[in-house]
Amino acid sequence: MTDTDILSMTYEELSEAFEKNSIQRFRAKQVWEWLHTHLVLDYDEMLNLPKSLRSELSEKFPIVRCFVRGKQVASDGTVKMLYELRDGDYVECVIMKYKYGNSICISTEVGCKMGCAFCASTIGGFKRKLSAGEMLSEIYLAQKETGERISHIVLMGMGEPLDNFDNVMRFITLVTDREGLNISMRNISLSTCGLVPQIKELMKLRLQLTLSVSLHAPNDEIRNKIMPVNRIYNTEELLGVCREYTAQTSRRISFEYAMLSGVNDSDECARELASRLKGMLCHVNLIPVNEVDESPFRPSSKERVKAFTGILQKGGINATVRRKLGSDIDASCGQLRLKTIKSKGGTV
Ligand code: SAH
């Protein structure tokens, strides 16, 4: 975080920054409330601040945030927001309605370094990490646009959250702040492709969030083909740290498994997966892969998914198939951003 990035500051940091700049103390509380209670991201709308202070603040502490550039609403109520960042890049987030509340899936980076073969976020490579404030603004703007309170957050949009560890932890601190959006830690899921050292770091923090691990294969042979990260941290190492994680935190791990027709969806794959996860405090989320134009993978058939789920369950593994939301609005990672860039004649 830079020392001018006001939206990424905790209340204490903001107060200190104001003090250093000889801005009266009570102003810190006012500005914090505008930002994090009223979700106002523009000094000109902070009506109880004198004009001179507003212009001083815009100069010294420009609000680094997202700007709304598009909104799509699917027939099932899923909303996809397209945002532009101040340097002209795009990110997106998706708001899904569930019985238990509204869940938002946010991006943590522009592009992604991880190179998973089935994922649209990785096309065009990696641009940069998002700041904590930029991530917060994805939620604040979505809440304002939809007029509905967001209660759950999944860090499953574009990017690898654990590659942007410090900013993501800062984001989590801010979004769970009682004087801010006050989201319950238990309502936050963080998804990783399996960066083992960072999972260990996260484990030390003993947060009550849900860790999701994108496994997508039962062994190294298949995983190496679709997830380059597996050549650095293989399945044995990854599953080892996952067991440690559940032991240390008593939190159940959620394994993501995208079903790719003919690649990782055989009965044998299911049996191998069941045997490798046996006894672990975990849950497997099966997701028929979303088709991405640039990638050759096709989703497994309904029957295949059913058979695969059955084998896992028989093997004593908790497994469910993820309900597909928003498929009529390009709601899977990176798809809307790709379309926008292409429609502007750009390349990724
Ligand atoms: N980098 C993190 C989080 C972002 S991706 C991670 O890898 O977990 C969020 C989830 O969507 C991951 O499980 C990812 O593997 C999955 N995913 C990516 N592309 C997909 C696609 N085309 N269809 C289904 N799931 C996909």
Side-chain angles (χ1 to χ4, degrees):
M1 188 199 61
T2 65
D3 56 2
T4 61
D5 180 7
I6 193 163
L7 194 57
S8 296
M9 291 179 192
T10 61
Y11 177 64
E12 287 69 33
E13 289 165 344
L14 197 157
S15 305
E16 230 171 80
F18 275 23
E19 209 173 308
K20 269 194 202 146
N21 283 274
S22 312
I23 301 168
Q24 286 164 295
R25 214 185 160 75
F26 77 102
R27 297 292 183 196
K29 187 155 196 298
Q30 286 180 323
V31 171
W32 170 272
E33 279 175 0
W34 278 116
L35 294 172
H36 302 285
T37 310
H38 305 300
L39 316 184
V40 162
L41 301 177
D42 199 329
Y43 289 120
D44 283 337
E45 290 172 38
M46 301 186 182
L47 298 173
N48 57 359
L49 307 184
K51 250 195 159 155
S52 56
L53 178 61
R54 284 189 242 158
S55 63
E56 181 186 348
L57 290 174
S58 357
E59 248 171 57
K60 290 186 177 155
F61 301 103
I63 302 174
V64 179
R65 51 169 284 201
C66 298
F67 297 89
V68 178
R69 290 291 181 258
K71 178 179 164 187
Q72 289 183 323
V73 185
S75 45
D76 59 19
T78 303
V79 178
K80 180 139 190 165
M81 302 293 305
L82 178 72
Y83 295 129
E84 188 172 355
L85 303 170
R86 64 179 186 158
D87 42 14
D89 281 318
Y90 292 94
V91 294
E92 51 200 17
C93 73
V94 184
I95 302 103
M96 292 152 289
K97 289 180 192 227
Y98 292 100
K99 276 189 225 110
Y100 55 74
N102 295 313
S103 177
I104 188 167
C105 173
I106 66 158
S107 299
T108 54
E109 295 181 324
V110 183
C112 187
K113 299 174 193 166
M114 300 300 140
C116 301
F118 44 83
C119 180
S121 302
T122 211
I123 300 166
F126 170 79
K127 286 250 176 83
R128 72 168 174 90
K129 300 173 179 184
L130 294 193
S131 67
E134 285 172 324
M135 291 181 245
L136 279 181
S137 76
E138 290 182 60
I139 302 178
Y140 292 1
L141 292 166
Q143 185 153 310
K144 276 169 69 171
E145 281 287 328
T146 58
E148 297 202 46
R149 187 181 144 74
I150 284 161
S151 54
H152 290 66
I153 301 173
V154 296
L155 299 169
M156 279 199 187
M158 196 174 9
E160 167 52 46
L162 293 186
D163 176 56
N164 188 9
F165 194 89
D166 292 345
N167 291 347
V168 165
M169 292 309 132
R170 177 174 278 281
F171 160 78
I172 290 174
T173 304
L174 288 165
V175 85
T176 54
D177 194 306
R178 276 168 185 275
E179 304 299 327
L181 222 48
N182 193 16
I183 303 271
S184 159
M185 189 67 89
R186 286 182 174 260
N187 293 357
I188 299 178
S189 295
L190 185 154
S191 183
T192 178
C193 64
L195 300 180
V196 169
Q198 286 91 327
I199 296 176
K200 286 186 180 158
E201 282 306 303
L202 183 67
M203 181 163 70
K204 286 189 203 148
L205 301 175
R206 297 254 193 313
L207 301 179
Q208 290 296 299
L209 52 72
T210 299
L211 180 65
S212 289
V213 173
S214 301
L215 191 57
H216 304 321
N219 57 45
D220 290 331
E221 196 193 335
I222 299 175
R223 202 164 188 266
N224 279 341
K225 285 190 195 142
I226 53 176
M227 298 181 72
V229 67
N230 198 68
R231 291 182 215 132
I232 304 170
Y233 309 110
N234 66 22
T235 52
E236 195 178 325
E237 231 184 309
L238 177 58
L239 294 177
V241 81
C242 287
R243 281 183 195 275
E244 216 181 309
Y245 188 94
T246 58
Q248 296 274 331
T249 62
S250 307
R251 299 287 296 162
R252 185 171 85 160
I253 287 190
S254 174
F255 287 106
E256 307 296 307
Y257 198 100
M259 304 275 300
L260 312 170
S261 181
V263 177
N264 63 359
D265 63 349
S266 66
D267 287 355
E268 205 187 325
C269 283
R271 282 192 288 271
E272 191 174 2
L273 184 62
S275 96
R276 295 199 71 184
L277 298 184
K278 212 170 179 63
M280 201 189 306
L281 184 59
C282 72
H283 174 265
V284 177
N285 230 326
L286 297 162
I287 319 141
V289 74
N290 275 309
E291 295 193 54
V292 173
D293 286 348
E294 286 79 357
S295 97
F297 301 106
R298 299 291 162 251
S300 308
S301 67
K302 268 202 182 111
E303 297 71 46
R304 201 63 320 265
V305 176
K306 204 170 159 204
F308 198 96
T309 315
I311 294 171
L312 288 182
Q313 287 168 343
K314 249 197 217 142
I317 308 293
N318 217 313
T320 48
V321 181
R322 179 171 307 156
R323 193 158 61 100
K324 206 169 175 173
L325 292 175
S327 46
D328 51 338
I329 55 163
D330 307 309
S332 82
C333 329
Q335 286 184 348
L336 184 61
R337 166 178 169 265
L338 265 188
K339 241 190 197 168
T340 309
I341 297 171
K342 282 182 193 162
S343 72
K344 292 192 173 216
T347 48
V348 284

